[in-house]
Structure formats: structure tokens, C-alpha cells
Amino acid sequence: MMNSDNKAILLAANDAVTEGDNEGFLSFCTEDLKYEFVGDQTLQGKDAVREYMKSAYVEPPEFDVEHLIAEGDFLTAIGKISMKDESGKKIDYSYCDVWRFRDGKMAELKAFVIEI
């Protein structure tokens, strides 16, 4: 698989999330998806990620992808994400997501996220 394919997959998956289509996002992921929020929590499997998205994305988040760096099965996305908390207050974060792809799908995420 070409690095540009992985970039296109991630951007399409992000677009689905910003449109509120969590299932569309999950269609780009493997069943055994692993989501690790460094220093916070690790989610194992598509159902765990689905439940997380349901509660975390009260309103769809906004992504600003600044850089995509690809090598082999890995794709690193650096940027900002804005989302609302439970009270409706918008919070901005800076993030670095390291994705591992397997067979053309997103299989593992290691996310470094800091409120700014």
C-alpha cells in the first residue's frame, strides 16, 4: 500500500467524524482496533471506540491537520482538534496521532493530546 493511500484513508475517516458519521469513521478501522490515549486510557476493539465516540463527541469535533508524515505502515498526523465538553464549552487541543495501518485499514492509534 502506498503512503498516499493511508493519508487519503485517514483524511476520509476524519471527514466522516466531522460530519457526525462515527460509523463511517469506524468503517475505515479494523475490528480489533486499539486506541491508546497516552497517559489516559486504552480502548480495545471497535465497540469500545464506538462507545467512546458516542460520549466524547457530543457534537462532532473540528480537525485542523497541519502535517501528515508517512512511513511504511505508520502515519503520523499533527494538528489541532476542537470539541465541546459536557457543558457545551469548546475546548482546543493540540494532538499528535500515530496510526498503524493493516491491510488498508486503521488498526492502532497512539494519541498524544494536550489541551491548549
Side-chain angles (χ1 to χ4, degrees):
M1 169 138 328
M2 300 293 296
N3 289 334
S4 59
D5 293 342
N6 289 347
K7 289 178 182 181
I9 290 167
L10 178 63
L11 292 173
N14 280 356
D15 285 346
V17 171
T18 58
E19 291 165 11
D21 182 7
N22 294 344
E23 289 305 314
F25 171 86
L26 290 168
S27 73
F28 292 99
C29 302
T30 61
E31 285 301 319
D32 63 346
L33 174 64
K34 180 181 175 186
Y35 243 58
E36 179 186 354
F37 296 96
V38 175
D40 186 19
Q41 63 179 322
T42 300
L43 307 173
Q44 189 67 56
K46 228 184 228 190
D47 285 338
V49 174
R50 181 178 287 116
E51 290 308 308
Y52 165 80
M53 293 175 93
K54 217 181 285 182
S55 63
Y57 301 157
V58 180
E59 246 178 59
E62 298 167 22
F63 289 95
D64 177 16
V65 179
E66 296 165 353
H67 301 286
L68 289 175
I69 306 156
E71 182 173 323
D73 293 334
F74 290 89
L75 177 63
T76 301
I78 299 167
K80 293 183 177 60
I81 183 172
S82 300
M83 43 197 231
K84 292 190 176 176
D85 65 12
E86 304 79 30
S87 69
K89 179 180 169 227
K90 187 173 166 183
I91 302 177
D92 297 321
Y93 300 90
S94 190
Y95 75 88
C96 177
D97 285 353
V98 181
W99 285 97
R100 185 173 61 79
F101 283 74
R102 186 176 71 234
D103 301 324
K105 291 201 173 222
M106 301 184 307
E108 193 172 322
L109 167 65
K110 191 171 220 172
F112 301 84
V113 185
I114 302 167
E115 187 176 334
I116 50 175

